[in-house]
């Protein structure tokens, strides 16, 4: 699968985007597979989806929103992790469900705040985080 | 001054290729502070499968891996210090939480990440750390607080 950005793995399987009053609601799903890139080393005798890969999954879900909103050249760069915490672990066969509320600000450069809760397939909270991202529209067309 | 080469780091961290993201320890003061490097190269798996004719920004080292590399550097300090003190943790090393992380710059293939990490507090199987990541004379990230945890019961025989 080809990508437009460096990433350790394809960290979302599906992404759904809906408009919300202050921005957007982004929901994404990732099924954890032991064969995913990098997981062979994390760890050799016991595979667990690294916490930073949950961050990567959320980031990729927001990248989908950015390209849908601003065009294929738009880049959503992670500017800050205000807070992030992990609860239930994700193991091969588990499903990660991401729910992300985006608040957009039309300053320059455009910034986005993401409040995110992630659940495992069985409903257990696996992570929550608040992120700030900078949207670089570059060669992207604004579809708004 | 304690320095560690890659073979030493592999004896301390449970991570393995391609997710062992600390190459060399330049300075280590047990229980206190560490400076370590990770060289970014275009041959890493994260650069596989990119489209042709992308802008330079597409080759920015992923923020997720930058945070992981920082966390692993802190874990080297923690686990090395614990081993020196005769303590041994049983369990799986995981990323517990973080606060006040700002990413102000990017690293690209050819750059050397230099992490400086200090232990703020150790409480049982929890290590609170903070620090910065530099590329040359550019600071590209500030990590206000990162919590690493050794958690029991996830798997038998894993971890440090």
């Amino acid at each position: 699968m080809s990508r437009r950005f460096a990433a350790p793995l394809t960290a979302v399987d599906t992404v759904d985007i809906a408009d919300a009053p202050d921005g957007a609601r982004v929901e994404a799903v990732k099924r954890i597979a032991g064969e995913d890139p990098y997981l062979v080393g994390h760890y050799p005798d016991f595979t667990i989806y690294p916490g930073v890969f949950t961050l990567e999954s959320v980031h990729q879900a927001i990248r989908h929103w950015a390209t849908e909103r601003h065009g294929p050249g738009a880049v959503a760069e992670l500017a800050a992790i205000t807070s992030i915490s992990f609860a239930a672990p994700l193991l091969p066969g588990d499903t990660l469900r991401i729910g992300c509320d985006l608040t957009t600000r039309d300053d320059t450069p455009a910034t986005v705040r993401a409040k995110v809760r992630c659940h495992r397939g069985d409903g257990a909270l696996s992570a929550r985080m608040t992120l700030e991202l900078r949207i670089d529209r570059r060669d992207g067309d604004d579809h708004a | 001054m304690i320095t560690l080469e890659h073979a030493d780091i592999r004896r301390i961290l449970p991570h393995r290729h391609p997710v062992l993201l600390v190459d060399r320890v330049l300075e280590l003061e047990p229980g206190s502070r560490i400076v370590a490097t990770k060289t970014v190269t275009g041959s890493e798996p994260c650069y596989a499968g990119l489209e042709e004719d992308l802008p330079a920004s597409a080759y920015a080292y992923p923020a997720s891996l930058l945070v992981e590399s920082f966390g692993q550097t802190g874990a080297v300090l923690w686990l090395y210090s614990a081993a020196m003190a005769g303590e041994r943790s049983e369990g799986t090393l995981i990323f517990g939480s973080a606060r006040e992380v700002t990413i102000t710059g990017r690293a690209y293939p050819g750059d050397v990440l230099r992490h400086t990490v200090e232990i703020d507090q150790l409480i049982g199987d929890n290590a609170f750390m903070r620090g910065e990541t530099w590329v040359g004379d550019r600071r590209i990230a500030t990590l206000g607080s990162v919590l690493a945890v050794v958690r029991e019961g996830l798997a038998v025989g894993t971890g440090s």
Side-chain angles (χ1 to χ4, degrees):
Chain A
M1 178 179 294
S2 71
R3 259 193 294 269
R4 293 184 57 82
F5 52 87
L9 77 169
T10 299
V12 287
D13 298 330
T14 61
V15 182
D16 289 305
I17 298 167
D19 285 334
D22 297 326
R25 167 80 179 174
V26 179
E27 297 184 349
V29 176
K30 157 72 180 156
R31 191 170 182 281
I32 313 304
E35 311 78 55
D36 277 334
Y38 282 85
L39 293 197
V40 65
H42 197 279
Y43 296 100
D45 52 357
F46 170 66
T47 303
I48 181 169
Y49 196 63
V52 296
F53 280 17
T54 295
L55 173 65
E56 180 69 34
S57 292
V58 171
H59 191 183
Q60 289 187 19
I62 297 170
R63 285 177 182 275
H64 275 265
W65 166 82
T67 53
E68 180 164 292
R69 171 72 172 71
H70 297 292
V75 177
E77 291 186 327
L78 189 63
I81 304 168
T82 309
S83 66
I84 189 168
S85 64
F86 300 96
L90 297 165
L91 309 182
D94 285 341
T95 300
L96 166 62
R97 296 185 182 281
I98 295 167
C100 176
D101 290 308
L102 293 182
T103 308
T104 54
R105 281 190 300 242
D106 275 330
D107 40 7
T108 309
T111 54
V112 174
R113 166 170 284 240
K115 290 198 70 108
V116 188
R117 290 173 71 87
C118 300
H119 291 86
R120 203 166 57 184
D122 64 1
L125 183 72
S126 65
R128 54 181 157 194
M129 63 190 86
T130 301
L131 310 175
E132 299 270 351
L133 297 100
R134 194 167 38 241
I135 308 300
D136 187 339
R137 291 176 194 177
R138 242 168 267 272
D139 49 334
D141 299 317
D142 197 331
H143 292 176
Chain B
M1 187 66 70
I2 296 163
T3 61
L4 302 172
E5 293 298 325
H6 202 63
D8 306 313
I9 293 165
R10 284 177 63 108
R11 281 192 283 272
I12 297 167
L13 289 179
H15 309 75
R16 287 297 176 264
H17 179 86
V19 76
L20 176 50
L21 301 179
V22 185
D23 289 336
R24 178 177 284 163
V25 174
L26 305 180
E27 301 172 25
L28 191 158
E29 297 170 32
S32 170
R33 181 172 180 275
I34 188 171
V35 181
T37 61
K38 147 76 184 154
T39 301
V40 175
T41 86
S43 59
E44 288 182 53
C46 65
Y47 292 108
L50 267 69
E51 292 178 13
E52 295 300 317
D53 301 319
L54 292 172
S57 61
Y59 299 92
Y61 192 63
S64 56
L65 295 180
L66 185 146
V67 172
E68 177 70 20
S69 180
F70 178 94
Q72 289 182 17
T73 298
V76 169
L77 171 61
W78 179 26
L79 298 175
Y80 184 94
S81 304
M84 276 192 75
E87 297 161 10
R88 188 175 148 74
S89 295
E90 298 289 344
T92 305
L93 184 63
I94 60 167
F95 181 13
S97 66
R99 283 187 298 108
E100 293 166 30
V101 176
T102 56
I103 299 173
T104 49
R106 310 287 147 185
Y108 295 92
D111 284 340
V112 177
L113 304 176
R114 193 175 71 257
H115 305 293
T116 301
V117 188
E118 293 174 28
I119 291 179
D120 267 337
Q121 205 174 9
L122 294 175
I123 303 175
D125 285 337
N126 302 273
F128 293 86
M129 303 172 293
R130 65 186 150 86
E132 299 175 339
T133 300
W134 294 72
V135 172
D137 58 3
R138 279 191 302 133
R139 184 175 60 201
I140 65 166
T142 304
L143 298 98
S145 175
V146 173
L147 169 63
V149 179
V150 171
R151 188 184 284 182
E152 289 183 67
L154 285 178
V156 177
T158 304
S160 52

